[in-house]
Amino acid sequence: METKEDSPENRKKPQFGTRYLKEPAQVFQHNAWDDVEWNDELKQNAEEKIKLNSQTLVSAEDQEKYENEANQFWDKFYNIHENRFFKDRHWLFTEFPDLSIDSTPQVKEKTNILEVGCGVGNTVFPILETNVGSNVFVYCCDFSEVAVSLVKNNSLFDSERCHAFVCDISSDVWNVPFEENTLDFIILVFVLSAIHPEKMQFTINRLAKYLKPGGQILFRDYGKYDMVELRFKPGRCLSEHFYVRGDGTRVYFFSEDDVHNLFTSAGLVKTQLYSSKRLQVNRGKQLKMYRIWIQAKYMKPLKNC
């Protein structure tokens, strides 16, 4: 079952604008270009770089350490960066207009939103700010106690409209403040990539249980061959398209098929899935930087579907 949102006109939505590179000679006239397709040479170079990076894997002992101590590495990250890392994501409403909730008086039904991997509130606070006057409640969690503490201590935090809590969504035991079939939206923005690939399906299966019928998971994360992946040096690869950064945090790079298989295996239905490809340039240094993100929406089927 697919919805009207999966029609061709809705399948590809511009990420930051509608600036398209029609004349290659003009590439350095602007800082960024939207929906840039890769040619065969770019694809081949990316494949060769990935092959080189994956020849030497992180040792099994260190891989176990990065898995078992993942929350500690993220705690250290947020202790270092704290609120300096906060960058609000108002672009979120361009990509996911669903999160701007109707506030007209006749709309009285409560909208429950969960953001997984909330960090220091990059998404939470813009949602609260945008939906003032709407009957919206935001749950947000992170497995970093430091991050959750920063959210709660932020001057924008409102305990009557938001509940922040610590939770490792990849663990077997969840202690969450809501029941199954109660969430309208679950936001997964640059968070699933931090989980070990072997635990991703379990995580999505569990999250899907908390969606209302008709509720959606809103997903955005790194795509395979993104500039960030190609910049990793040999010796940082954990497994195929899965890497550890210098600070001990980890990141996975997805294909569209990866995403589709994860969500459909959890019984969800695609309403949107596409690769957002963007060319960023450094005009001073004449550098080209290719970014790739995967964006998707998957819905829990209605009971009568």
Side-chain angles (χ1 to χ4, degrees), residues 39-302:
N39 58 32
D40 291 339
E41 182 181 1
L42 281 172
K43 293 177 182 177
Q44 182 177 349
N45 290 341
E47 289 282 1
E48 291 175 354
K49 185 69 168 64
I50 297 303
K51 183 178 180 179
L52 175 65
N53 289 348
S54 60
Q55 286 179 351
T56 304
L57 297 180
V58 174
S59 69
E61 180 181 359
D62 282 344
Q63 294 217 29
E64 185 176 359
K65 178 186 70 173
Y66 293 129
E67 174 66 19
N68 294 337
E69 301 176 15
N71 62 325
Q72 297 177 38
F73 286 112
W74 280 106
D75 279 343
K76 291 178 183 177
F77 174 89
Y78 289 116
N79 271 320
I80 293 171
H81 296 282
E82 294 186 342
N83 286 332
R84 291 190 300 276
F85 185 72
F86 181 82
K87 297 178 181 178
D88 67 57
R89 290 174 171 169
H90 282 90
W91 58 262
L92 198 72
F93 303 99
T94 299
E95 300 301 327
F96 299 117
D98 322 67
L99 295 174
S100 183
I101 310 300
D102 190 349
S103 61
T104 53
Q106 60 267 30
V107 179
K108 298 181 180 180
E109 187 175 351
K110 185 178 181 181
T111 299
N112 292 312
I113 298 173
L114 167 66
E115 188 197 6
V116 178
C118 61
V120 298
N122 302 33
T123 298
V124 170
F125 296 126
I127 290 176
L128 293 175
E129 180 185 31
T130 299
N131 290 292
V132 171
S134 299
N135 194 8
V136 171
F137 194 91
V138 180
Y139 299 97
C140 59
C141 67
D142 201 287
F143 71 170
S144 166
E145 293 185 7
V146 173
V148 172
S149 177
L150 288 169
V151 170
K152 289 182 175 180
N153 291 327
N154 193 299
S155 61
L156 298 174
F157 183 76
D158 181 354
S159 60
E160 294 187 359
R161 304 178 60 212
C162 182
H163 181 87
F165 61 102
V166 176
C167 181
D168 178 359
I169 61 168
S170 68
S171 68
D172 293 332
V173 179
W174 285 19
N175 182 16
V176 297
F178 41 78
E179 302 295 327
E180 293 184 2
N181 300 301
T182 60
L183 299 176
D184 295 275
F185 297 103
I186 297 175
I187 303 170
L188 285 175
V189 174
F190 298 106
V191 61
L192 194 64
S193 53
I195 295 173
H196 195 290
E198 292 180 358
K199 295 185 175 182
M200 289 181 183
Q201 189 64 66
F202 165 83
T203 300
I204 299 301
N205 291 350
R206 179 73 70 87
L207 287 172
K209 293 181 179 181
Y210 290 97
L211 280 176
K212 291 179 180 178
Q216 293 193 89
I217 291 182
L218 310 180
F219 174 90
R220 187 175 180 85
D221 220 319
Y222 297 102
K224 288 182 178 179
Y225 310 136
D226 178 68
M227 173 189 73
V228 174
E229 180 177 18
L230 300 184
R231 283 184 170 179
F232 276 102
K233 303 298 183 183
R236 308 305 298 178
C237 186
L238 299 163
S239 59
E240 188 176 15
H241 299 291
F242 190 41
Y243 302 84
V244 61
R245 301 182 180 97
D247 60 7
T249 63
R250 299 171 300 173
V251 58
Y252 182 82
F253 296 84
F254 294 89
S255 69
E256 289 186 24
D257 286 343
D258 289 336
V259 173
H260 186 67
N261 291 337
L262 282 169
F263 289 115
T264 55
S265 295
L268 303 179
V269 177
K270 180 179 71 173
T271 60
Q272 183 188 77
L273 174 63
Y274 68 94
S275 297
S276 178
K277 298 178 180 178
R278 188 170 174 83
L279 172 60
Q280 298 176 343
V281 301
N282 183 319
R283 288 187 279 179
K285 297 182 179 180
Q286 299 282 286
L287 295 176
K288 300 178 184 178
M289 298 166 285
Y290 292 89
R291 304 306 312 271
I292 302 177
W293 299 282
I294 308 296
Q295 182 159 313
K297 300 179 189 180
Y298 279 81
M299 184 183 73
K300 189 170 188 174
L302 298 170

Side-chain angles (χ1 to χ4, degrees), residues 3-14 20 35 271-274 297:
T3 73
K4 63 181 181 180
E5 286 192 57
D6 197 49
S7 61
E9 62 268 24
N10 286 311
R11 202 168 290 148
K12 299 232 356 165
K13 295 183 178 181
Y20 304 113
D35 292 339
T271 60
Q272 183 188 77
L273 174 63
Y274 68 94
K297 300 179 189 180

